[in-house]
Amino acid sequence: MKKFIVVTGGVLSGVGKGIFCASLARLLKECGVKVNVLKIDPYLNVDAGTMNPNQHGEVFVTEDGYEADLDLGHYERFLGEDMSRRNNITAGQIYSTIVKRERDGGYLGSTVQIVPHVTDEIKHRIESLEGEVNVIEIGGTVGDIESEVFLESVRQLALEKPFGDFMFIHVTYVPYLKTSNEFKTKPTQQSVQLLRRAGLNPDMIVVRTETPVNPETIKKVALFGGVPQDMVINLPDVPNVYSIVELLKNLDVHRKVARKLNLIIDDTKFSWDYPKEFKQYRIALIAKYLGTDDAYKSIIESIFLSGCIKPTVIDAQNLESMNYEQVCDVLSRFDGLIVPGGFGKRGIEGKIKAIQYAREHGKPILGICLGMQLMVVEFARNVMGYRQANSTEFDPDTPYPVITLMEEQKKILQLGGTMRLGAQPMRIFSGTKLWQIYGGIEETTERHRHRYEVNYDQFPELFKMPGEKGYKLTISAKSNFIEAIELEDHPFFIGIQYHPELKTKVGRPHPLFKAFVDTLSRLT
Ligand code: GLN
């Protein structure tokens, strides 16, 4: 058995299609169905790795080192399962496969066309999904020129498969007009028309709204959308997105889907446990991508899933323009700090000041990837007195290159997919705080995405091994590279070269975030 649920979006992007797909997949999983999820990104980038997080949200890295759209993060967290490169396709991948095949003579004699060559390739990728039910999220909004070929592919595939193998769900937005006190369904009507023009009829319409809609609105959407009234589902904004799995169940969405796809489901074992109460610690996320919270999605969700309210995003560039006293003043209002990953010079001096503040004032701080690298820079500058210490990413001529390009990165000229990526093994040293946080294990893997590393060979004097004396950065985990550092006489000063936020699942936040929040409980 292999069934497909195609989820399209209407009216606006960013209405929560990804969360809906993840929640639906989890609900079906709870009903005993083997589910898989596929995100289709109609852009021409081969993957999300080269995109600016300000526009497109964070780059989510999978175990197998694929740089994906952030929706794969939602899928992982909600489903509690690891995704891989097979869970995402982009138009860039499809077209480059076709063009390469053409150059290799794979289509000798034919004119290579969107239909059937591109559509066949897309259909092939969709058919190779392994779930009993495969939820396919088509990115963007219906009517976008880029997504047309994907809509055409699922249209063809649905015709080729037996009746009942495909279901189409359209997620749209219904705005509320305060001035006239009414919900407006016209944009939704029009987006359903666009869907029909592509040859697709929705089986279910999910209406996203700010507040719950009235029955007349549901009726209207059903009438103009061409679906029975019970197939219009209203999902108003909720404070906790993890409640949506439960919400969908209460709305009987699993039974409606099962009816359409002739699925046998069993919801008697449904259990969905997610945090509902949140500690009120104020955590500052010292950030540079300020366009959208999506740029730091996995970190924000990792804190939330560790049972604390979401962190406040603080502009690192703002800190940069302040003097140290002013920085201390701003940051003293927070219980803990996180310095996230990032690329490029902008805002790094602000992050370094924040790290200095945390180190000198015993404020819990977690430095992730770039954050950890800057902890080393800060220590070199302010403790060792190497005033011009830096990463060669920001100052190629620094006399103190405490962070440098990894040897194997030096010969790489291409930028896409060439970093140190995905799950890499490391050794955690016993007796360190990190080792305690990991429950006493000494070997594990964590996910990476970086080009630079700690330059231990040239600057061993900054570091010490656990148990050694002196005010230095303790190395708490290693592979060929230094993977983690910590300070002993500090409640929580931990830097890691990897991205723990990528491994958080609902009910299983990464232990580092859990430990960070627990430390705040101990201190406040
Ligand atoms: N820019 C740094 C590097 O490439 C850090 C990367 C990151 O934070 N993901 O090493």
Side-chain angles (χ1 to χ4, degrees):
M1 180 185 85
K2 213 188 249 190
K3 310 257 177 181
F4 301 90
I5 301 174
V6 176
V7 179
T8 52
V11 182
L12 298 175
S13 62
V15 290
K17 242 185 312 144
I19 298 283
F20 170 75
C21 289
S23 304
L24 175 62
R26 181 64 198 224
L27 172 58
L28 294 174
K29 180 180 171 174
E30 286 299 316
C31 296
V33 179
K34 184 173 168 269
V35 274
N36 202 354
V37 199
L38 174 71
K39 174 75 193 291
I40 294 182
D41 284 307
Y43 47 70
L44 287 172
N45 305 58
V46 170
D47 58 41
T50 54
M51 296 167 92
N52 185 335
N54 258 340
Q55 271 175 31
H56 206 76
E58 76 178 359
V59 176
F60 188 85
V61 184
T62 54
E63 285 288 297
D64 64 341
Y66 176 72
E67 297 174 280
D69 183 86
L70 87 169
D71 277 318
L72 264 71
H74 294 135
Y75 305 163
E76 282 210 3
R77 285 187 290 273
F78 276 83
L79 272 179
E81 290 169 24
D82 289 340
M83 297 288 124
S84 75
R85 61 185 68 240
R86 297 161 61 87
N87 297 94
N88 185 209
I89 58 183
T90 70
Q93 284 165 20
I94 300 291
Y95 285 109
S96 53
T97 306
I98 301 280
V99 170
K100 178 163 186 315
R101 193 177 294 145
E102 188 277 332
R103 292 288 81 184
D104 290 345
Y107 300 108
L108 230 43
S110 348
T111 309
V112 183
Q113 293 178 295
I114 301 273
V115 181
H117 301 102
V118 175
T119 47
D120 279 354
E121 180 63 25
I122 295 169
K123 280 152 63 181
H124 168 72
R125 291 282 302 261
I126 291 175
E127 281 186 286
S128 61
L129 290 169
E130 284 149 3
E132 285 169 354
V133 172
N134 301 288
V135 178
I136 302 169
E137 176 186 356
I138 301 189
T141 342
V142 173
D144 293 348
I145 196 161
E146 289 92 350
S147 56
E148 268 172 33
V149 63
F150 293 103
L151 298 178
E152 171 59 15
S153 303
V154 289
R155 185 194 70 78
Q156 291 176 17
L157 203 55
L159 272 182
E160 290 161 21
K161 298 283 170 195
F163 185 75
D165 276 9
F166 263 78
M167 174 173 189
F168 291 90
I169 302 182
H170 192 51
V171 181
T172 78
Y173 188 67
V174 169
Y176 171 74
L177 279 195
K178 263 198 211 108
T179 38
S180 54
N181 183 27
E182 57 181 343
F183 286 100
K184 290 303 217 181
T185 63
K186 184 74 82 197
T188 292
Q189 296 174 32
Q190 289 179 339
S191 83
V192 173
Q193 278 171 18
L194 283 171
L195 198 60
R196 288 205 191 113
R197 229 176 277 171
L200 301 175
N201 277 309
D203 298 300
M204 177 184 277
I205 299 177
V206 174
V207 174
R208 287 274 301 108
T209 50
E210 256 178 80
T211 53
V213 291
N214 46 26
E216 295 80 73
T217 307
I218 298 277
K219 246 191 219 162
K220 213 161 163 188
V221 171
L223 180 64
F224 286 95
V227 299
Q229 270 177 46
D230 72 335
M231 291 300 252
V232 179
I233 307 293
N234 179 214
L235 288 183
D237 288 352
V238 285
N240 184 341
V241 293
Y242 299 100
S243 66
I244 293 173
V245 179
E246 220 163 51
L247 220 73
L248 292 180
K249 177 169 185 277
N250 295 341
L251 293 167
D252 257 351
V253 170
H254 54 312
R255 294 218 183 91
K256 293 173 185 178
V257 167
R259 199 172 62 210
K260 173 69 200 166
L261 292 176
N262 296 319
L263 289 177
I264 297 162
I265 55 167
D266 170 15
D267 65 6
T268 53
K269 293 190 196 72
F270 178 89
S271 78
W272 174 240
D273 200 10
Y274 59 95
K276 297 175 190 80
E277 275 166 36
F278 300 91
K279 307 224 168 75
Q280 302 291 314
Y281 306 127
R282 294 151 307 173
I283 298 172
L285 185 62
I286 319 292
K288 104 168 197 198
Y289 306 113
L290 304 169
T292 157
D293 279 5
D294 279 357
Y296 300 101
K297 195 71 191 165
S298 292
I299 295 180
I300 293 175
E301 296 306 317
S302 290
I303 290 293
F304 195 66
L305 288 170
S306 299
C308 179
I309 54 164
K310 296 188 176 176
T312 308
V313 175
I314 297 282
D315 182 358
Q317 261 183 302
N318 235 344
L319 298 181
E320 196 164 294
S321 65
M322 296 177 190
N323 65 33
Y324 184 57
E325 284 64 45
Q326 290 167 320
V327 169
C328 294
D329 184 48
V330 170
L331 296 181
S332 66
R333 286 172 234 150
F334 292 93
D335 302 313
L337 313 181
I338 297 178
V339 183
F343 295 82
K345 202 171 166 143
R346 189 163 56 85
I348 64 150
E349 292 304 325
K351 291 181 178 178
I352 290 172
K353 282 182 198 164
I355 292 166
Q356 182 183 357
Y357 165 75
R359 186 176 55 74
E360 291 180 348
H361 294 78
K363 186 76 72 180
I365 183 167
L366 180 62
I368 299 175
C369 202
L370 174 68
M372 177 259 211
Q373 297 175 354
L374 296 179
M375 282 172 156
V376 175
V377 172
E378 191 278 327
F379 197 85
R381 285 187 190 176
N382 298 328
V383 178
M384 306 300 290
Y386 304 163
R387 285 279 152 217
Q388 297 168 66
N390 217 328
S391 162
T392 53
E393 181 179 3
F394 313 123
D395 179 3
D397 304 318
T398 168
Y400 300 100
V402 291
I403 306 292
T404 45
L405 202 55
M406 284 180 263
E407 208 42 53
E408 56 263 48
Q409 288 287 331
K410 289 187 180 153
K411 16 186 200 307
I412 297 173
L413 297 174
Q414 268 195 331
L415 285 186
T418 55
M419 280 183 253
R420 180 177 180 231
L421 287 168
Q424 309 281 344
M426 66 174 189
R427 241 195 90 199
I428 306 173
F429 296 124
S430 68
T432 58
K433 284 188 197 141
L434 194 74
W435 175 79
Q436 278 168 16
I437 290 170
Y438 277 79
I441 57 161
E442 289 182 14
E443 315 253 318
T444 190
T445 63
E446 288 287 357
R447 291 187 209 173
H448 292 70
R449 180 172 188 254
H450 64 123
R451 290 200 171 83
Y452 292 81
E453 61 156 323
V454 173
N455 188 359
Y456 178 79
D457 287 347
Q458 234 182 309
F459 298 96
E461 68 276 20
L462 270 64
F463 305 95
K464 63 173 182 173
M465 292 303 287
E468 288 176 6
K469 296 248 159 348
Y471 188 58
K472 295 192 171 176
L473 295 168
T474 303
I475 299 171
S476 43
K478 254 189 115 237
S479 58
N480 286 339
F481 309 102
I482 292 186
E483 302 285 17
I485 48 145
E486 60 187 49
L487 272 181
E488 269 156 25
D489 302 319
H490 190 290
F492 195 111
F493 186 98
I494 294 180
I496 61 257
Q497 186 56 82
Y498 47 87
H499 292 272
E501 71 275 20
L502 302 175
K503 295 237 263 191
T504 288
K505 313 276 192 287
V506 173
R508 278 182 289 142
H510 190 287
L512 265 163
F513 291 96
K514 185 84 186 36
F516 184 69
V517 171
D518 287 349
T519 302
L520 304 186
S521 311
R522 259 195 301 113
L523 295 181
T524 46

